[in-house]
């Protein structure tokens, strides 16, 4: 695999991560591909094995690679829903992020709802109607209302067939 370039000695694991992500974006690495063994990959990139291990652990946490003990390291299916799974942590870091998220939702949700309306199944429509009924508890039961709202948004997302 000659696509793996030499990483400058001053670089850290982040540079290795960036390079491997670039190879994925450029389609030089594809879902299901097995990376070369750690020793070989470290030699190809001219990086230390500890730096490579750190980079691979980072990519594993990001759900970009899967580390299979005894088998090797593989590029995951790169499913968007798995890749965005940790965004809730990003939003929890700063209160202003919630305002930004709310502003973005106001822009995107009408389009997502239109998309969902085109693809919704009878079963999803029934689930959606049940959420609306459950949400009628309103201020009398804030926990039940919140759960109904969360379920409603989940069903709309599912019906849109778009994980974002």
């Amino acid at each position: 695999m000659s696509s793996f370039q030499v990483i400058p000695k001053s670089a850290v694991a982040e540079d290795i991560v960036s390079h491997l992500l670039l190879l994925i974006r450029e389609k030089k690495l594809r879902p299901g591909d097995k990376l070369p063994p750690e020793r070989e990959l470290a030699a190809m990139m001219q990086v230390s094995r500890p730096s490579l291990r750190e980079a691979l652990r980072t990519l594993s946490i990001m759900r970009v690679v899967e580390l299979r003990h005894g088998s090797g390291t593989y590029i995951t299916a790169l499913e968007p829903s798995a890749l965005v799974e940790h965004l809730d942590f990003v939003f929890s870091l700063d209160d202003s992020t919630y305002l930004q998220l709310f502003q973005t939702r106001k822009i995107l949700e009408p389009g997502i709802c239109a998309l969902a309306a085109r693809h919704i199944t009878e079963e999803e429509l029934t689930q959606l109607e049940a959420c609306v009924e459950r949400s009628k508890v309103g201020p009398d039961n804030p926990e039940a209302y919140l759960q109904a709202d969360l379920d409603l948004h989940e069903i709309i997302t599912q019906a849109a067939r778009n994980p974002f």
Side-chain angles (χ1 to χ4, degrees), residues 99-155:
L99 176 59
Q100 294 164 340
L101 177 61
F102 183 71
Q103 291 168 337
T104 303
R105 283 180 62 182
K106 283 176 60 178
I107 295 166
L108 295 178
E109 281 185 349
I112 295 294
C113 287
L115 190 59
R118 281 188 240 133
H119 300 289
I120 198 163
T121 65
E122 286 297 323
E123 181 183 342
E124 290 165 334
L125 191 55
T126 301
Q127 292 171 349
L128 200 59
E129 289 168 346
C131 285
V132 171
E133 280 303 310
R134 289 187 0 238
S135 72
K136 290 181 179 177
V137 296
D140 296 337
N141 189 340
E143 287 181 22
Y145 178 81
L146 176 62
Q147 188 58 56
D149 184 60
L150 291 170
D151 293 345
L152 178 128
H153 284 89
E154 180 64 31
I155 293 164

Side-chain angles (χ1 to χ4, degrees), residues 14 26 30 82 86 89-90 103 105 113 150 159:
E14 290 85 7
E26 292 177 344
R30 297 182 175 273
H86 297 289
F89 173 72
V90 174
Q103 291 168 337
R105 283 180 62 182
C113 287
L150 291 170

Side-chain angles (χ1 to χ4, degrees), residues 6 37-49 52:
V6 174
E38 183 182 288
R39 184 182 315 270
E40 187 180 322
L41 185 56
M44 292 166 78
M45 299 176 83
Q46 295 184 4
V47 295
S48 70
R49 289 177 67 191
L52 179 62

Side-chain angles (χ1 to χ4, degrees), residues 7 21-22 24 28 37 42-43 50 57 68 86 101 109 124 127 135 138 154 161-163:
I7 301 292
L21 290 174
L22 177 66
I24 292 168
K28 292 179 181 170
R57 275 194 298 272
R68 299 181 196 165
H86 297 289
L101 177 61
E109 281 185 349
E124 290 165 334
Q127 292 171 349
S135 72
E154 180 64 31
R161 310 293 184 255
N162 184 325

